[in-house]
Structure formats: structure tokens, C-alpha cells
Amino acid sequence: MAGPESEFDLIQRYFGTPSAGAVADGVRLGIGDDAALLAVRSGHELVVTVDTLVEGTHFFPDHPPASAGHKALASNLSDLAAMGAEPLGAVLSLTLPRVDHDWLAGFSHGFLALAEEVGIPLVGGDTNRGPLAISVTVLGEVPVGQALRREGARPGDRLVVSGALGGAACGLAHETQRRAEGGPVDASSPACARLFWPAARLSLGRGLRNRARAAIDISDGLLADLGHLCAASGCGARVDWPSVPRDPLLAEVSEQQARSCALGGGEDYELLFALPPGESLDLLAFSVDVPLTVIGECTEGAGVVVEDANGQRLDVARAGHDHFANTE
Amino acid sequence: MAGPESEFDLIQRYFGTPSAGAVADGVRLGIGDDAALLAVRSGHELVVTVDTLVEGTHFFPDHPPASAGHKALASNLSDLAAMGAEPLGAVLSLTLPRVDHDWLAGFSHGFLALAEEVGIPLVGGDTNRGPLAISVTVLGEVPVGQALRREGARPGDRLVVSGALGGAACGLAHETQRRAEGGPVDASSPACARLFWPAARLSLGRGLRNRARAAIDISDGLLADLGHLCAASGCGARVDWPSVPRDPLLAEVSEQQARSCALGGGEDYELLFALPPGESLDLLAFSVDVPLTVIGECTEGAGVVVEDANGQRLDVARAGHDHFANTE
């Protein structure tokens, strides 16, 4: 490229699209000042969440940069969805080992395409030199008192998940094997698609307001996240393994692997929620754009049990995704 | 430590102090759910800014972890100050190569001590495995229409800075030499103090609302940040070099080095603002807790010139702090 490029120029060049600021009414001041200014609507609370992707942990150098941009935003939007919130704005902090214009072009394309799709403007950015990492903070708003929390589920509530589970874990297993064998990445394969291009269930999250009693997004794995929901709600849960919707990719692996992926695998970014007895699942399913499946129910007591088709308890490790577990 | 520790436990253990959530009225839901919930007061706009510190770029392994915690928050609070905003809440994303409890204890102590001092609760956190980096997003609020922006300065406005300049750059020069020579860090030295423990000028920022026409914090260096303010405002500036308040550390270095540190050095986190002719500096100075100094004025046209005691133009490189300039 022609000459040096400053931090300011990098953000402006790759993320300062006119549309980035014009998408939402709430943006009073976008990229380019000491901070951004946003309007939160009267009668609404502000929702805020942060997520960081690190090269070598969450994605690899031969993965398409657009997928890193997409996923960094999608994982945060999933947290908004789990709160029942509307997107308001995003800020991005990029740490780069060097200025790689091809990478930046791909990354920003993936990030901004999703941002435009869901109508969330990028309102602030920061770039630094160092090992490649992407930190995104997403802001949203939700009517006062209507945010979906992890607490609130009660014994007798149905446990419902959106979409299908285990696809991202299966994709990760494919990728791990592919990298070990040294082959080229096939970004358009179904396995990579699950891992690289997760969707965030924003419209479902909105639809769950005043209906679900508790909700969480499945980022760490079904059993781990169900464990968080139960711990926060002070209840237990029973999961009916045959009811758990499996990603089609799992048809190709053993029953043992399928269980591990669907129950323990992270990064599917589907929603898990507790629906009280009086709420119609059919009515809810009619109004959203993703399949919904009852997988069990909340119970008295504590702890999560998984049962097979005969009602026998399965011995499953609660192996959620945790960057620091068992590694000290 | 006894056994593995999860991401959830790490955040709870080091940052989930009862006081962290209880400090501010605005926190409806803090650490521990998919996202945090905050209330923005009616008649206020939301202010958001992000800053990341990377080990090896912004701090080094032998620097006290408490100083990294302090500085990661202070650099963001400085952006809030430059907008005239009140702190509302902070979210932290920590990327760690391993779980180092001594480091985490020191880091969280430095972070939370400053958070408590200025009354900003930590409302959300995220930990990941990877090269050490600290990303902080700070949220604030400001009465609608009263945010201080970079634009708005007009020819004839006085240019005023808080505190003294060049201390952090001088501290960095000391640290660079110390590291080259292999000596131990002296964290309590005046040089390290400037570099490690910057203050954020929050009360000054609030005092500038409806008084200053434009403001910016000096994070990249006086001339670079003044250049940003002038570019946004569509004006030029004349700086009177003898008037620029110098950090006492600069008494020990050559005039050339002093100029380089005071005009080009970053990370002092003082405020620079444009005060219109009708506003009394004395009245403003009386109400704030930091010295204020007029260093020049805004001019017609564009570009920043620096003059010596005789009104002769000094040839100064506009060497602001930029992680990517001249390095492609």
C-alpha cells in the first residue's frame, strides 16, 4: 500500500461506511470522536455484553477473515437475543500483528454484512498492535422489566431449544482433524459452515419476552448452559436425550460422538428457555423463524439429568466449553 | 490452587465483589447473566468507548499487574471525561495465557480500586485463553446535547490543557532504557508513576459542559490530538511552546527531549479544550481540582503551528502515538 496508515485511518477506511452510522436512529455520534453517543429509548433498559475471539483459540490463520468478523459479532448478538433485546450499537477493538489489508477487507466485510442484516451500527473502534484478537462489545435495549434472565425458571416449566445442536462441535472436530492432516480448509463445507457462520436468534429472543420465564444462549454447550440456568433459577432439570434436535452432521458420527457434540459442544448459539405450563409452544413457534423443540422440563431440587428413550438415566460428562477448566 | 477453575469462577472470584454491583443505582443486572442491564437516566445520552492494552505494547511482564488494571480503566475513563460524561458501568474482556492467581489478584485490585474511587461498577466480564490482553469498554451518560465533542472550536478560542504534559513519555523512555539494561523495575519511581497510574479528569470534563466548545483527551500526544480537534472543527491552531506546562520530570532532560515528550508523547490523559472568549478561565479553574493552562489559540485556516518565546515558528515533527504508522 502507499505509505503508512494510522489507527484512525484504518478504522475509517474499513469500518467507516456511511451506512454503518445511518442504520439506526439511536446513533447521535459514531466513529471518530473520543466516544460514541447513543440514545436509549424511554422506558427501556440498556443491555451490554462483550466477547473476544483470539486467533489460535477461536479461529485459525487459514480460516476466512470474513468468518471471524461474522462470528465475533454473532456471538455477542446471541447474548442480546438471550436477553430479549434489540440491537443498538457495537464497538470493536482489533488487535493486529501488522496491517494486512486483505485480512482487514475480509474481516470488515464479514462484520459489516451481519451488522447491516440485523441493523446494528458500528459506533466505535480501537486498533492496537499485538497478537490477533477481536473484542466486540454490543449494546442493546429492552423494555424495562422485560429482559430475559437466567433466573426465573420453575419446576414444571418445559425446556425448549431453538434449531439443532452439535453442528459447531462437529465442525470443530472436522477442522481439528483437517488441520492435523495438513489439508486445505474448505470454508464452504457444511462442517465449516456450522462453525464459521452461526446465526443469532434475535427475533426469537424478542418473541420470548413476557412468555419465557428464563433464557440463555447455548455458547458453552447444552448441559453447561442448562446448568447455569438451573443454578440461577434454583431448580433442577430433566433432559430427554431422544428429543434433543441433532444437527444433520451428527448422522455421520457415532452415537457417543453425537451425544458429546449435542450435549457438550459449544458455539451453536441457539437459545434455551423455560416455558411455563400456560404458554402455548405452537403459538410461539408460529411467530418465529426457527424450529423449536421441547427437550425436557425443569424439576424440583438441583442438577441436570439426561434420560434415554426408556427413561434410563444416561451417564454424560457435563463437558461444557471452558477455556480454563482442567488446564492449570 | 485446588483444582481447575472455570471462566465463570474467575470473573466471580476476582471481580464479583458485592461492592462492584452495588456502587451505582443504574445497575439492574450485573455480572453472571448473558448480558448486563443498566438504566440510562431520562434526558441523558449513552456514551460508549473501548480501549485495549496488549502486553508487550502497552505494558510489560515485569510491570505491576495492578498498574495494568488501573491503566486499562483509566484510559477509558479519560475518554468519558473528554465527552463530559458521568461513568455508568464498565465491561472487561481479559485474554490470559494461563490462570495466574497472583497476576489476577494484583490486576483486579488495581482495576477495582479505581472503579470504586470514581464510582463505576464492573457489570460484565469475559475471559479467554491467549496472549495477555485487556479490553475494557466503558459506558457513561451525559445530558442530551451537552456532550463535549472534538468539533465546535472556532478561531479566537483559547486552547487550554489540564495538568502537565510529557510525564508519561518521559516515564516510557526511562522504562525502555531500564529494560534495555536489564535492571529491575522501580514501580514507585516518579517516572513509573507517570506511566503506570494516570488519572482521568472526570470532574474537569463535567465542569466543561456548556463552557468548552470542543474537547479531547491527550492520549496520542498534544500535537496529534490537537490536530484531531482542529480537523474536526475545521480550524487551525497556534501553540505557544513556553506556555506548555511541563511535567517536572522534563527538567532532567534536554530541551529537545522535553519538546518531544510534551508535544509528541502520548498517554498523559490530560484534557485539551477550546474555551470561547466569553468564558472565564479563572472561574472554571476555581471549580476544578487540576491546574489549567492556556497554551495557545484556535486560528483561521488549517494546521497546527508551534512558536517559541520570540514568536518564531518551531519545526516540530507531529509525532503522535500511532501503533501502525510507518511500520508497514
Side-chain angles (χ1 to χ4, degrees):
Chain A
M1 295 301 305
E5 189 128 15
S6 75
E7 173 177 333
F8 185 74
D9 293 338
L10 281 181
I11 296 281
Q12 281 294 123
R13 174 169 176 176
Y14 288 102
F15 296 97
T17 62
S19 71
V23 176
D25 303 337
V27 180
R28 303 286 168 86
L29 182 64
I31 294 168
D33 213 298
D34 291 298
L37 291 174
L38 295 169
V40 177
R41 280 180 292 172
S42 171
H44 287 67
E45 285 172 329
L46 174 69
V47 182
V48 56
T49 182
V50 64
D51 212 8
T52 297
L53 303 189
V54 180
E55 188 179 64
T57 301
H58 302 94
F59 64 97
F60 290 92
D62 56 358
H63 287 175
S67 71
H70 174 94
K71 193 168 175 176
L73 182 56
S75 63
N76 277 286
L77 292 173
S78 180
D79 284 320
L80 282 197
M83 303 298 287
E86 315 272 353
L88 199 58
V91 295
L92 166 69
S93 181
L94 261 184
T95 302
L96 305 168
R98 64 191 173 282
V99 177
D100 176 337
H101 290 288
D102 287 341
W103 190 91
L104 278 161
F107 175 83
S108 61
H109 181 77
F111 187 98
L112 293 175
L114 178 58
E116 189 157 331
E117 182 190 322
V118 305
I120 190 167
L122 182 73
V123 298
D126 165 57
T127 57
N128 291 281
R129 180 176 293 277
L132 185 55
I134 307 149
S135 188
V136 176
T137 301
V138 160
L139 306 167
E141 61 183 2
V142 64
V144 172
Q146 293 187 27
L148 301 166
R149 302 186 179 196
R150 294 179 178 184
E151 69 178 53
R154 295 185 207 163
D157 287 353
R158 285 156 293 168
L159 287 165
V160 185
V161 295
S162 62
L165 301 181
C170 196
L172 180 62
H174 274 90
E175 267 303 279
T176 303
Q177 187 180 352
R178 193 269 308 167
R179 290 180 57 80
E181 292 168 356
V185 67
D186 177 7
S188 63
S189 69
C192 283
R194 305 296 196 285
L195 192 58
F196 291 170
W197 308 101
R201 302 302 185 191
L202 286 162
S203 66
L204 172 60
R206 284 193 294 269
L208 293 180
R209 288 185 207 149
N210 296 323
R211 286 185 177 136
R213 273 213 267 248
I216 191 169
D217 75 320
I218 305 178
S219 53
D220 294 343
L222 174 63
L223 294 190
D225 289 313
L226 177 54
H228 294 149
L229 186 145
C230 287
S233 294
C235 67
R238 187 189 59 74
V239 171
D240 177 47
W241 163 238
S243 301
V244 174
R246 305 184 194 193
D247 190 282
L249 284 176
L250 302 192
E252 298 164 23
V253 303
S254 73
E255 180 69 6
Q256 181 69 27
Q257 287 170 318
R259 242 189 245 167
S260 168
C261 288
L263 298 177
E267 305 201 344
D268 282 323
Y269 300 109
E270 295 295 348
L271 295 189
L272 165 68
F273 55 94
L275 201 63
E279 283 293 334
S280 162
L281 181 65
D282 289 345
L283 210 62
L284 181 62
F286 188 73
S287 66
V288 297
D289 53 1
V290 59
L292 301 177
T293 309
V294 176
I295 61 161
E297 63 176 352
C298 295
T299 58
E300 301 280 353
V304 175
V305 300
V306 183
E307 295 178 354
D308 69 13
N310 303 316
Q312 297 295 304
R313 190 164 166 171
L314 289 173
D315 182 23
V316 288
R318 279 194 35 196
H321 184 62
D322 189 316
H323 300 301
F324 293 108
N326 300 308
T327 56
E328 281 192 88
Chain B
M1 294 303 305
E5 188 128 17
S6 76
E7 172 178 334
F8 185 73
D9 294 337
L10 281 180
I11 295 282
Q12 282 293 123
R13 175 170 175 173
Y14 289 102
F15 297 97
T17 63
S19 71
V23 176
D25 302 336
V27 180
R28 302 286 169 85
L29 183 63
I31 293 168
D33 213 300
D34 291 298
L37 291 174
L38 294 168
V40 177
R41 281 180 291 173
S42 169
H44 286 68
E45 284 172 329
L46 175 69
V47 182
V48 56
T49 181
V50 63
D51 212 8
T52 296
L53 303 189
V54 181
E55 187 178 64
T57 301
H58 302 95
F59 64 98
F60 290 91
D62 55 359
H63 287 176
S67 71
H70 175 95
K71 194 167 174 175
L73 182 56
S75 62
N76 278 286
L77 292 174
S78 180
D79 284 319
L80 281 197
M83 303 298 287
E86 316 269 354
L88 199 57
V91 295
L92 166 68
S93 181
L94 261 183
T95 303
L96 305 168
R98 65 190 171 282
V99 177
D100 176 339
H101 290 287
D102 288 342
W103 190 91
L104 278 162
F107 175 83
S108 61
H109 181 77
F111 187 98
L112 293 175
L114 178 58
E116 189 157 331
E117 182 190 321
V118 306
I120 190 168
L122 182 73
V123 298
D126 165 57
T127 56
N128 291 282
R129 181 176 292 276
L132 185 55
I134 307 149
S135 189
V136 176
T137 301
V138 160
L139 307 166
E141 59 182 4
V142 64
V144 171
Q146 293 187 26
L148 302 165
R149 301 186 179 196
R150 296 179 178 185
E151 69 177 55
R154 295 184 206 163
D157 288 352
R158 285 155 294 167
L159 286 166
V160 185
V161 296
S162 62
L165 300 183
C170 196
L172 180 62
H174 274 91
E175 267 302 279
T176 303
Q177 187 180 351
R178 194 268 308 168
R179 290 181 57 80
E181 292 168 355
V185 67
D186 178 6
S188 63
S189 69
C192 282
R194 305 296 197 284
L195 192 59
F196 291 170
W197 309 102
R201 303 302 185 191
L202 285 162
S203 64
L204 172 60
R206 283 192 295 268
L208 294 179
R209 288 186 209 148
N210 297 322
R211 287 183 175 137
R213 272 212 269 248
I216 192 169
D217 76 318
I218 306 179
S219 53
D220 294 343
L222 174 62
L223 295 189
D225 289 312
L226 177 53
H228 295 150
L229 186 145
C230 287
S233 295
C235 67
R238 186 191 58 73
V239 171
D240 178 45
W241 163 238
S243 300
V244 174
R246 303 185 194 191
D247 189 283
L249 284 176
L250 302 192
E252 299 164 22
V253 304
S254 73
E255 179 70 5
Q256 181 69 26
Q257 288 170 319
R259 241 188 246 166
S260 168
C261 288
L263 298 177
E267 303 200 346
D268 282 322
Y269 299 110
E270 296 295 346
L271 295 189
L272 165 69
F273 55 94
L275 201 64
E279 282 294 334
S280 163
L281 181 64
D282 290 343
L283 210 62
L284 181 61
F286 188 74
S287 67
V288 297
D289 53 359
V290 59
L292 300 177
T293 309
V294 176
I295 61 161
E297 62 176 355
C298 294
T299 59
E300 301 280 353
V304 175
V305 300
V306 182
E307 294 179 356
D308 68 12
N310 303 314
Q312 298 295 304
R313 189 165 167 170
L314 289 173
D315 182 22
V316 286
R318 285 207 13 211
H321 185 65
D322 190 316
H323 299 298
F324 293 108
N326 301 307
T327 55
E328 279 194 272

